[in-house]
């Protein structure tokens, strides 16, 4: 997929054959180093079918978040010439 988030998706298997009456699990993984809104579309080709089968993903990648209890923060002894800051 030639979009910002498209290359962050992997499909395993990425191709194959499923006979009538059979099923196949497809492992879809998404791993991103980019923060933002995801709206990606992929198409699956089925031989003999007249149309492609659409597969859509929507979501949002957010950065990590941290929650601190200010009362529990204790920097202890800080050696000379090192930064020590506590502002909340």
């Amino acid at each position: 997929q030639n979009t910002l988030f498209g290359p962050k998706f992997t499909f395993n298997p990425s191709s194959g054959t499923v006979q009538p009456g059979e099923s196949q699990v497809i492992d879809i993984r998404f791993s991103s180093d980019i923060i933002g809104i995801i709206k990606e579309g992929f198409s699956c080709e089925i031989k003999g079918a007249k149309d492609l089968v659409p597969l859509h993903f929507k979501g949002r990648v957010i950065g990590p978040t941290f929650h601190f209890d200010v009362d529990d923060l204790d920097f202890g002894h800080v050696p000379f010439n090192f930064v020590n800051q506590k502002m909340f």
Side-chain angles (χ1 to χ4, degrees):
Q1 187 83 5
N2 201 12
T3 62
L4 185 63
F5 286 106
K8 309 298 182 186
F9 285 86
T10 57
F11 298 83
N12 188 27
S14 59
S15 65
T17 303
V18 180
Q19 298 298 325
E22 293 182 343
S23 63
Q24 171 66 52
V25 173
I26 300 173
D27 181 40
I28 303 170
R29 294 181 184 247
F30 176 76
S31 180
S32 180
D33 57 346
I34 303 168
I35 294 173
I37 302 293
I38 304 164
K39 190 173 182 185
E40 292 293 330
F42 297 91
S43 298
C44 300
E45 179 183 3
I46 298 177
K47 289 183 182 178
K50 104 178 166 180
D51 295 320
L52 296 174
V53 177
L55 185 59
H56 300 282
F57 295 92
K58 289 182 359 180
R60 177 177 29 192
V61 177
I62 60 172
T65 58
F66 302 94
H67 301 280
F68 297 100
D69 185 342
V70 177
D71 296 331
D72 288 339
L73 284 178
D74 181 4
F75 290 103
H77 297 287
V78 178
F80 177 72
N81 208 21
F82 283 82
V83 176
N84 178 6
Q85 234 176 353
K86 182 178 177 182
M87 298 183 317
F88 286 91

